[in-house]
Amino acid sequence: MILIVLKAQIRPDKRDEWLAGISEYKKNVNSEPGNISFDYHENLEKENEFVIVEVFRDGKAGEEHVNTDHAQRFFPFMSTVVAEKPKINYQDVDGDVWNEMAEVTPQ
């Protein structure tokens, strides 16, 4: 599987545009056959900093994702709303997408 984590600082004056754009992008990415999950969250301690977590079935699905029309539209859009170059952590991981956390069991 491919695990991608992005960190993006959004310009305050572009926040509403960002929220509309990322919401639409999430719907499109989640509809891709090779996508396992796509989520985004705002850092509650740093205003307008968002983390995006993407999981794809494999490298081929990740490559297909980058070549979709919606991704090709989103990347230039993202360039217009970020305050600085986003950070990325890209991992090609063997095994299951999610495993149970050993340290916590519901009581």
Side-chain angles (χ1 to χ4, degrees):
M1 75 154 184
I2 302 299
L3 171 65
I4 302 165
V5 180
L6 295 166
K7 188 185 292 189
Q9 185 66 40
I10 304 304
R11 292 175 27 196
D13 62 319
K14 297 291 187 170
R15 179 184 175 83
D16 290 342
E17 287 178 56
W18 163 254
L19 290 172
I22 190 71
S23 177
E24 182 65 24
Y25 188 57
K26 174 183 171 49
K27 290 177 198 170
N28 288 323
V29 175
N30 284 149
S31 71
E32 295 175 30
N35 177 259
I36 295 171
S37 65
F38 180 100
D39 295 293
Y40 63 94
H41 308 277
E42 186 171 7
N43 183 340
L44 297 177
E45 296 176 359
K46 189 170 182 184
E47 191 173 7
N48 295 315
E49 181 181 89
F50 288 81
V51 172
I52 301 167
V53 181
E54 304 176 67
V55 181
F56 293 93
R57 179 187 61 239
D58 54 26
K60 184 175 187 249
E63 183 178 325
E64 289 169 354
H65 159 68
V66 169
N67 291 313
T68 62
D69 288 342
H70 54 266
Q72 291 299 308
R73 286 189 310 271
F74 185 76
F75 299 145
F77 159 75
M78 193 173 181
S79 294
T80 69
V81 298
V82 294
E84 58 192 45
K85 196 163 183 77
K87 307 288 190 261
I88 186 169
N89 184 326
Y90 177 100
Q91 301 290 319
D92 190 341
V93 182
D94 290 330
D96 291 331
V97 175
W98 300 107
N99 297 299
E100 290 184 349
M101 183 177 172
E103 297 81 3
V104 178
T105 301
Q107 297 183 11

